[in-house]
Each structure stands twice: as structure tokens, then as C-alpha cells.
């Protein structure tokens, strides 16, 4: 690794740490910045190689721990965002020579002139496996952090109730109502947290790829996301297993909800990609996309519809006969 790459990786790690530091220091206004913390790691990995991404991930965790004086803050960033970003960036950069039918030298025409020195055609790591890996890493990260930080409903409920009492609407709620709201919030944490983490990593990867591409540092050609974004059949098996596990008693129920949250968001991305592909060429495409995303932001319920579309797309591709 050259010194210039090492400096860039260290700078990316420091930038990621600064974006995340506000959340560790309990600054409510810094939540949005913290969600952008994986972007510098992705940029380092996509533009300067996998080693640069790993170095940036390590530096980010060390800097957060040094700034905050809290080791768990560095662990939180490294496990939830930095390391998954470095791994996903490595997967996006993987490629091998195309050895499919018609690609071998026995089927190739004799090279003439500059074509003799042309680079071989490459097969890049499929996006469906990258999405699967991100969802899996988000689930594993949330499970690991829950164990490390000691997620316990009985212990956390009094803290949530106290926070509700200090809120502006505390006078309008009885103790039973506050207890019910606290129970509801805690029951949703294992489902929402991995979904948000999967969303954060996927959006950060998209933004980082766009930044790296316009700077001519991204070797991978641009993927057509609406047609290329799918999930492998294994993702459907994991998702269905997670849904079945939610009927088990805790803590198995919590683990199953984490899996459902992470892979449910991944299937939602697939469903949204199908919508983008189906609306191509329509004169009212911009209006349809605007209304859809506005409904998602305001109501949240349409996410479930696109999750079902993503699941249906995976089932349909499983039933499709393999190419001859």
C-alpha cells in the first residue's frame, strides 16, 4: 500500500469518525450526519482498493474512541457501519475474466492491431449478492451489538418510561399508557434497527459509487439498478425462517425480528427497483415516482407493499427455468 493511499484511507476514516462522533456524544442534531458515516469508507474502498477501505474502517473506530473516550462508541461504529462498508466495497470491486460460452480463445477471432492488447472482458460480483451480504451483515451487526450493549426489555423499559415522562405530552398520558407505549417502542427496536442499518448502508453505497464514478476512480461499469437488483433464493429462505422464528419466545423472537428487519428492507429495495423498471418510458414516470416516495415518507405502510413485490420477484426468478 503506497503512502498516498494510506493517507487517503486515514483521512476517510477520520471523516467517518467525525460524522459519527456527534451521535456518540449524544447530540440529537447529529443523527443525520451519523447516518452518512459509511460514505467515506465506501469511497476509500471503491476508489483506492479493499485495503484502503479496511484501514479507513479501523481508523474511524479508533478516532471515535479517542474523541469520545468511550470504547463502546468505536465498537459501535466499527461493527455497525465501518466494517460492513469495507466488506461491501470489497465485494463491489471483485471481478474475474469472463469464461462463459464464446469467451474462450478457441471461439475467439484472431486479434488484429490494438485489439490484441485489449483487456479481457470482466464479470463483476453480482449486485444481488452484494445486497444479500449487506442485509446479512446488518443483521449480524445488530445481534452482536445487542449482546455487547446488553439489550434487555425489562431493564430498558423504565428508562423509556422516564424519557416519556420528561416529554411535552407526559401530562396527557397515564402511567398505563406510558408503559404500553414504552413496550411498543422496545418491541419494534429489533425490527426497525436492522432495517434502518440496511437502508443506511445501501444508500451510502449508492452515493459513494456515484461520487467515485464522477471522479473516474471507480473501475466497475455503471450497473442498471432497476434491472440488475435482485436477491438470491437463499435470501427468501432466510427471510421466511426469520418470520417463522418470530413465533418463538424471547430471545429467539428478538433474533428472528432482526433477520426480518434486515432482509425485509433488502426485499423492499428489490420491489422499488421493479417499480423503476416498470415505469420506464412512461410520460408520467416522474409524478409516479414522486407520489410513491412521498407516500413512503409520510405513511411508511407502502414499504410493506414493495417488500411483497420484492419477495414475489425472487419467487418468480426461482421458478424460471435456467437458460439453455
Amino acid at each position: 500500500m503506497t503512502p498516498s493511499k494510506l493517507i487517503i484511507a486515514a483521512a476517510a476514516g477520520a471523516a467517518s469518525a467525525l460524522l459519527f462522533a456527534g451521535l456518540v456524544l449524544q447530540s440529537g442534531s447529529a443523527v443525520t450526519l451519523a447516518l452518512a458515516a459509511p460514505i467515506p469508507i465506501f469511497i476509500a474502498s471503491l476508489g483506492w482498493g479493499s485495503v484502503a477501505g479496511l484501514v479507513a474502517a479501523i481508523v474511524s473506530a479508533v478516532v471515535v474512541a479517542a474523541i469520545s473516550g468511550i470504547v463502546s462508541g468505536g465498537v459501535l461504529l466499527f461493527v455497525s457501519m465501518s466494517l460492513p462498508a469495507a466488506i461491501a466495497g470489497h465485494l463491489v470491486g471483485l471481478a474475474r475474466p469472463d469464461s462463459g460460452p464464446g469467451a474462450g480463445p478457441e471461439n475467439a477471432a484472431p486479434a488484429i492491431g490494438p485489439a490484441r492488447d485489449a483487456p479481457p472482458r470482466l464479470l463483476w460480483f453480482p449486485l444481488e449478492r452484494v445486497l444479500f451480504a449487506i442485509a446479512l451483515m446488518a443483521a449480524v451487526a445488530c445481534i452482536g451489538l445487542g449482546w455487547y450493549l446488553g439489550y434487555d426489555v425489562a431493564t430498558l423499559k423504565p428508562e423509556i418510561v422516564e424519557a416519556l415522562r420528561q416529554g411535552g405530552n407526559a401530562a396527557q398520558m397515564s402511567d398505563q399508557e406510558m408503559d404500553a407505549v414504552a413496550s411498543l417502542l422496545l418491541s419494534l427496536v429489533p425490527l426497525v434497527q436492522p432495517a434502518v442499518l440496511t437502508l443506511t448502508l445501501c444508500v451510502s453505497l449508492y452515493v459513494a459509487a456515484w461520487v467515485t464514478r464522477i471522479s473516474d476512480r471507480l473501475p466497475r461499469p455503471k450497473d442498471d439498478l432497476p434491472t440488475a437488483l435482485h436477491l438470491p433464493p437463499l435470501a427468501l429462505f432466510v427471510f421466511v425462517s426469520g418470520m417463522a422464528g418470530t413465533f418463538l419466545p424471547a430471545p429467539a423472537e428478538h433474533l428472528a425480528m432482526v433477520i426480518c428487519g434486515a432482509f425485509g428492507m433488502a426485499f423492499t429495495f428489490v420491489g422499488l427497483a421493479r417499480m423503476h423498471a416498470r415505469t420506464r418510458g412512461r410520460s408520467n414516470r416522474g409524478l409516479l415516482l414522486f407520489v410513491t416516495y412521498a407516500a413512503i415518507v409520510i405513511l411508511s405502510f407502502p414499504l410493506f407493499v414493495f417488500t411483497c413485490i420484492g419477495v414475489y420477484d425472487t419467487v418468480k426468478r426461482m421458478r424460471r427455468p435456467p437458460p439453455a
Side-chain angles (χ1 to χ4, degrees), residues 189-200:
V189 167
L191 183 68
V192 174
Q193 186 183 30
V196 172
L197 182 55
T198 303
L199 173 66
T200 300

Side-chain angles (χ1 to χ4, degrees), residues 27 37 47 65 83 112 134 151 168 173 193 197 208 229 283 312:
S27 173
L83 184 59
I112 301 175
I134 289 177
Y151 175 80
M173 299 175 61
Q193 186 183 30
L197 182 55
L229 197 61
S283 58
Y312 172 74

Side-chain angles (χ1 to χ4, degrees), residues 25-169:
L25 298 175
Q26 298 182 354
S27 173
S29 60
V31 174
T32 304
L33 293 177
L35 295 177
I39 295 178
I41 310 295
F42 275 124
I43 292 176
S45 181
L46 295 175
W48 284 268
S50 303
V51 177
L54 180 60
V55 171
I58 296 173
V59 170
S60 66
V62 173
V63 171
V64 165
I67 292 176
S68 63
I70 305 174
V71 177
S72 59
V75 174
L76 176 63
L77 174 59
F78 185 76
V79 173
S80 63
M81 294 185 179
S82 299
L83 184 59
I87 295 175
H90 168 71
L91 295 178
V92 171
L94 288 179
R96 61 178 176 83
D98 186 2
S99 57
E106 66 278 2
N107 298 320
I112 301 175
R116 186 185 301 274
D117 300 324
R121 182 173 178 269
L122 297 178
L123 289 178
W124 295 88
F125 197 78
L127 283 182
E128 63 180 40
R129 298 185 185 179
V130 176
L131 181 58
F132 177 85
I134 289 177
L136 182 61
M137 288 187 292
V140 172
C142 290
I143 293 173
L145 289 174
W147 170 81
Y148 179 77
L149 300 175
Y151 175 80
D152 183 28
V153 175
T155 303
L156 294 175
K157 182 181 287 188
E159 299 179 7
I160 301 297
V161 171
E162 183 62 27
L164 292 174
R165 283 179 180 153
Q166 295 177 0
N169 298 325

Side-chain angles (χ1 to χ4, degrees), residues 223-317:
D223 295 281
D224 185 26
L225 293 180
T227 58
L229 197 61
H230 302 281
L231 276 171
L234 179 59
L236 183 60
F237 172 78
V238 174
F239 184 57
V240 172
S241 299
M243 293 180 64
T246 58
F247 294 97
L248 299 175
E253 177 191 9
H254 297 155
L255 299 179
M257 291 181 67
V258 169
I259 295 173
C260 288
F263 281 89
M265 181 55 67
F267 279 110
T268 302
F269 274 113
V270 176
L272 290 171
R274 299 288 74 73
M275 178 191 65
H276 279 261
R278 289 294 183 90
T279 56
R280 277 180 169 172
R282 296 190 178 184
S283 58
N284 59 344
R285 184 172 189 261
L287 179 61
L288 288 173
L289 295 180
F290 174 80
V291 172
T292 299
Y293 283 105
I296 289 174
V297 172
I298 297 173
L299 303 176
S300 299
F301 176 77
L303 283 175
F304 176 74
V305 176
F306 288 102
T307 303
C308 295
I309 294 175
V311 171
Y312 172 74
D313 175 79
T314 305
V315 173
K316 184 174 68 173
R317 295 180 73 242

Side-chain angles (χ1 to χ4, degrees), residues 157-158 160-161 164-165 173-186:
K157 182 181 287 188
I160 301 297
V161 171
L164 292 174
R165 283 179 180 153
M173 299 175 61
S174 63
D175 291 342
Q176 292 79 6
E177 291 174 336
M178 283 190 289
D179 185 81
V181 171
S183 299
L184 176 62
L185 293 175
L186 287 173

